[in-house]
Amino acid sequence: MVIATRLFGEINVDDEKMIQFPGGIIGFSDMQNFALIHDDKQVEGGIRWLQSADEPSFAMPVIDPLLVKPDYNPVVDDEMLKRIGEFGQDDILVLTTITVPKDIKLMSVNLKAPFIINAKTKKACQIIVEDFDVKYPVYEILKAAKEG
């Protein structure tokens, strides 16, 4: 599948790598088809992009929350995950959006609304979890990781 994007131009994505959000994502229920894009040269676990196949101008930077909060383990009701199909622990990929404002020192991740992707079925959902911040500051954490 060829996706025309605003940020990356035209990209080729194998159909079997497309990720479907059956209910869309929070605030954008009409966007249900996405590709996870990353730079082949980047280090493992860096920033990736969740690119909409339905709306070329819509892409969100995402990151593995364990890179910035190693004890991140939200309690999730199994009912919320039914629409992404059956999975084992190794089939799940959890990503959170990362926000990079003009003042990079205010960079944050949204730990309250993670994306849960079932790698086996290529279905995903976005959920709201309790006890986590919408704007969890990460600049110092990422800076320290890069230096160390």
Side-chain angles (χ1 to χ4, degrees):
M1 168 181 274
V2 176
I3 302 173
T5 72
R6 181 178 61 86
L7 296 174
F8 310 106
E10 284 192 352
I11 58 171
N12 282 314
V13 179
D14 292 334
D15 288 343
E16 65 268 4
K17 291 189 178 184
M18 291 298 299
I19 301 166
Q20 183 188 30
F21 285 76
I25 59 174
I26 296 172
F28 302 94
S29 60
D30 56 328
M31 290 187 211
Q32 297 185 359
N33 300 295
F34 287 84
L36 189 58
I37 300 170
H38 60 89
D39 182 350
D40 290 333
K41 297 174 191 158
Q42 85 177 12
V43 293
E44 179 68 24
I47 295 175
R48 301 179 224 176
W49 293 84
L50 201 54
Q51 171 65 56
S52 171
D54 301 315
E55 176 53 56
S57 65
F58 189 85
M60 294 180 293
V62 293
I63 192 169
D64 180 343
L66 296 176
L67 293 175
V68 295
K69 186 160 179 51
D71 62 345
Y72 183 70
N73 189 18
V75 176
V76 178
D77 182 358
D78 290 341
E79 189 66 30
M80 290 193 281
L81 301 177
K82 278 190 173 179
R83 65 183 122 154
I84 67 171
E86 302 229 354
F87 56 86
Q89 196 63 22
D90 292 339
D91 298 322
I92 292 297
L93 174 63
V94 178
L95 297 170
T96 54
T97 56
I98 186 165
T99 302
V100 183
K102 284 185 181 181
D103 182 353
I104 196 166
K105 292 180 180 176
L106 298 176
M107 185 183 332
S108 65
V109 295
N110 180 351
L111 296 177
K112 189 153 195 77
F115 298 104
I116 313 295
I117 301 169
N118 183 336
K120 187 167 59 173
T121 64
K122 302 294 187 278
K123 291 190 184 275
C125 63
Q126 185 178 22
I127 60 172
I128 302 291
V129 296
E130 299 298 322
D131 302 324
F132 288 97
D133 296 327
V134 171
K135 290 190 173 195
Y136 183 78
V138 296
Y139 176 78
E140 292 299 328
I141 297 167
L142 293 175
K143 181 180 172 189
K146 185 176 182 180
E147 293 170 354

